[in-house]
Amino acid sequence: MRGILGTGANLSTYTYAREYVLRNGIMKDSPLTDLACAMPSGLATVLMINPVDVVRTRLYNQPGKASSSSPSSSSTTKTAPPPPTTTAPAAGGSIQRYNGMMDAFVKIFRDEGVRAFYKGSVSHFLRMGPHFALTFLFFEQMKRVASR
């Protein structure tokens, strides 16, 4: 899901921004135009994938369920029962807060609001913005060279 959201936001925003800038004569076709249009695409990407990253991080960091392959389990134990449908104690007696991705989205939104989904988005953009700026700069330069 993260890849679909990120790529869709990134490519569509870059393409639209570049076409808009060139069509309206705001900038001429140049490497500077490529860089200028890539930054909003990096922002759009972060806005789309940061909520998924927050949920995924919360799910990964919550207390886990006891595993049948733990050192304390014997080879004669039966297969563990299916996961419960409600919040249940996890290994070590702590409570597992989320029961999947949709449950985490709903609980985070209900308990913390929309802003919780964008925790860490500034640092995320500081990484993604330059990445996509260089990606699209090199992509457009290769297209220019290939068309000569």
Side-chain angles (χ1 to χ4, degrees):
M1 181 160 76
R2 182 184 191 273
I4 293 168
L5 292 171
T7 302
N10 183 268
L11 294 175
S12 59
T13 303
Y14 174 76
T15 302
Y16 177 79
R18 191 166 194 286
E19 288 175 358
Y20 180 84
V21 164
L22 294 175
R23 183 178 56 243
N24 292 310
I26 297 170
M27 298 176 85
K28 294 180 180 177
D29 188 12
S30 71
L32 184 59
T33 303
D34 306 335
L35 292 172
C37 294
M39 293 308 278
S41 77
L43 179 62
T45 303
V46 169
L47 291 175
M48 292 301 290
I49 67 175
N50 212 76
V52 176
D53 287 347
V54 167
V55 169
R56 189 171 62 173
T57 300
R58 300 277 183 100
L59 287 169
Y60 287 161
N61 289 330
Q62 73 178 342
K65 295 177 185 165
S67 171
S68 62
S69 63
S70 65
S72 63
S73 66
S74 68
S75 59
T76 60
T77 57
K78 296 181 180 178
T79 307
T85 56
T86 59
T87 304
S94 57
I95 301 294
Q96 186 174 0
R97 181 166 169 81
Y98 309 112
N99 290 315
M101 190 168 226
M102 289 308 297
D103 183 51
F105 264 110
V106 170
K107 286 180 179 175
I108 292 168
F109 179 75
R110 183 190 65 214
D111 298 343
E112 301 174 53
V114 172
R115 292 182 64 186
F117 292 113
Y118 294 98
K119 290 181 179 180
S121 59
V122 172
S123 61
H124 200 178
F125 176 73
L126 291 175
R127 181 177 62 88
M128 299 293 272
H131 167 80
F132 288 120
L134 292 173
T135 298
F136 286 118
L137 173 68
F138 293 140
F139 174 70
E140 295 294 343
Q141 284 297 102
M142 288 190 311
K143 282 176 38 180
R144 287 182 189 105
V145 168
S147 68
R148 289 182 190 163

